[in-house]
Amino acid sequence: MGRATIAPLTRKRWAGGEIDADPFALPQRVTIPAPDLVPRLFGFIRYADIRNDVVKATDSSPILGLFDWTEPLSAYRGVALRVAHRKASGAKPVILVEIVHETNEKHSVVLHASFDGADVAARWRSWARVLRLPLLLEDRGGELQEAERRLGSLRIDVPQPHAGANPLSTRRPMTFGHTGRPRLFQQRLSTGTRPPAY
């Protein structure tokens, strides 16, 4: 009996080739073909300019002309790691790294596209660190979840168990500074002086 597979509720399409923008050499300019059928029929291509504080893009069509838009990085929810498909059957997945807009999905920009998935995790984390945006991960239902727990801009790690004290630290010396020697209280009482351990 074969293993049951659950198809994702939403399936992102990808119609272009591989993209590998370098997050450590900003500003970066990426060229992104339209993934949907209707914009692709009109010849839309997105030219996006990624900077450390703003995203400037031009959606160009030889039929409808140019559409310029600008978004600050504060308008983006985070850097997402997503899976898209080049065919409807889903036989050829594409791994995408994308900055996701908070309210307008059309202003999300793909920064990295890979057919084999090589170095995609490094690019994903590098883009999030450079742009100072949270890491997002797409689940099987197509929903984006934060990959790390955060408190505001601070990342919260999983609590680590206490290592505990050194087992030798529970041993007390028999005298102060002279382990193994008895406490010389009798000498202290008879002579009125402190033991040699003091």
Side-chain angles (χ1 to χ4, degrees):
M1 185 185 307
R3 182 182 297 176
T5 58
I6 301 174
L9 299 178
T10 59
R11 178 171 291 167
K12 191 172 180 67
R13 299 291 302 276
W14 180 251
E18 291 187 316
I19 296 176
D20 189 17
D22 187 0
F24 300 108
L26 296 181
Q28 281 289 307
R29 188 172 175 86
V30 293
T31 303
I32 308 160
D36 298 327
L37 179 60
V38 174
R40 203 160 58 242
L41 290 176
F42 285 100
F44 271 103
I45 297 177
R46 173 168 293 173
Y47 301 97
D49 189 17
I50 313 298
R51 300 178 181 271
N52 57 3
D53 58 346
V54 71
V55 175
K56 297 180 179 180
T58 299
D59 294 331
S60 174
S61 168
I63 300 174
L64 300 178
L66 304 177
F67 298 90
D68 296 326
W69 54 268
T70 302
E71 290 281 0
L73 274 182
S74 58
Y76 286 88
R77 179 180 171 189
V79 180
L81 185 64
R82 313 183 85 162
V83 177
H85 299 278
R86 288 184 282 175
K87 292 185 177 180
S89 62
K92 296 183 178 180
V94 182
I95 312 299
L96 302 179
V97 175
E98 179 181 34
I99 50 173
V100 180
H101 197 273
E102 188 73 44
T103 57
N104 189 354
E105 181 69 22
K106 293 182 180 179
H107 285 184
S108 298
V109 179
V110 175
L111 305 172
H112 181 87
S114 175
F115 298 150
D116 57 5
D119 296 332
V120 68
R123 286 298 194 208
W124 176 47
R125 293 186 178 278
S126 297
W127 273 110
R129 185 167 55 251
V130 168
L131 299 180
R132 297 184 296 277
L133 292 173
L135 290 168
L136 303 176
L137 193 61
E138 186 180 47
D139 60 16
R140 290 192 61 87
E143 296 293 328
L144 292 175
Q145 308 291 336
E146 287 201 17
E148 298 173 331
R149 297 191 307 166
R150 289 184 167 266
L151 180 62
S153 61
L154 297 177
R155 187 180 67 186
I156 302 175
D157 287 333
V158 178
Q160 299 296 319
H162 189 270
N166 188 334
L168 297 179
S169 66
T170 59
R171 296 179 56 196
R172 286 188 172 185
M174 297 182 72
T175 61
F176 300 100
H178 291 268
T179 304
R181 296 180 60 185
R183 297 179 183 270
L184 303 177
F185 292 114
Q186 294 296 329
Q187 178 183 353
R188 184 177 181 183
L189 291 175
S190 61
T191 61
T193 61
R194 291 185 175 182
Y198 282 91

